[in-house]
Amino acid sequence: MEKEVVSTAAAPAAIGPYSQAIKLANLVFTSGQIPLDPATGTMIAGGIEEQARRVMENIKAVLEAGGSSFAKVVKTTCFLKDMNDFAKFNTVYQEYFGSDGAPARSCVAVAELPKGALCEVEAIAYID
Ligand SMILES: C=C(N)C(=O)O
C-alpha cells in the first residue's frame, strides 16, 4: 500500500514539516488547519467565528484536493485556544456538518496553537 501526498494551492501551504493531507487507500487524513489565508499564508483578521470559518474552508479545500468532501468525514479533532469559544465555534462548525450524522469528534482546549490561532481542525475522511 502506497501513501500519497495531497497538495493544493486552494489551502494554505504547510508552515512546517507536514503535508496538507495524506491519502492511504480510500482514506484522507488532513493535517490540522489553522486560519491562514491560502493566498497569502497569513492569519486572517477576526475572532473565533471568522477563524473557524476560514479553518473549515481550508479543510474543505484539502478534502476536495484529496478526492473527498465534508459529507465523507468520519472523525475530526478540534483544538481551541479558549474553551469559552466552544459555543461560537460549534455554531460555525455546524454550518458545515449539520448535527444529524455529524462526524465523530474530539474537541480540546490547548495552551497555544501555531501563529497564535484561536482554533485548529483536522479531519479523517473516506473516498468512494
Ligand atoms: C499547522 C499545523 N498543522 C502544524 O503546525 O502542524
Side-chain angles (χ1 to χ4, degrees):
M1 205 178 294
E2 287 264 324
K3 69 178 184 181
E4 186 184 328
V5 171
V6 176
S7 179
T8 176
I15 57 166
Y18 60 90
S19 301
Q20 290 171 321
I22 292 290
K23 281 168 79 165
L24 183 70
N26 69 332
L27 292 174
V28 183
F29 301 82
T30 81
S31 288
Q33 281 294 324
I34 57 173
L36 299 176
D37 180 333
T40 63
T42 58
M43 286 288 295
I44 61 147
I48 185 65
E49 285 147 316
E50 292 81 8
Q51 291 203 11
R53 196 162 281 113
R54 182 70 260 160
V55 163
M56 298 305 277
E57 290 296 326
N58 290 348
I59 287 281
K60 180 170 185 274
V62 174
L63 288 171
E64 288 176 357
S68 190
S69 67
F70 275 123
K72 295 170 187 161
V73 173
V74 293
K75 175 73 172 45
T76 68
T77 307
C78 304
F79 307 91
L80 300 180
K81 174 78 177 72
D82 183 347
M83 202 47 84
N84 289 317
D85 288 337
F86 189 63
K88 286 179 178 170
F89 174 81
N90 281 339
T91 299
V92 176
Y93 183 93
Q94 193 166 0
E95 286 173 19
Y96 289 84
F97 285 122
S99 44
D100 289 341
R105 186 182 94 168
S106 303
C107 183
V108 296
V110 295
E112 207 165 352
L113 288 165
K115 304 278 185 190
L118 299 177
C119 57
E120 177 171 341
V121 176
E122 63 185 28
I124 303 170
Y126 63 90
I127 303 160
D128 63 3

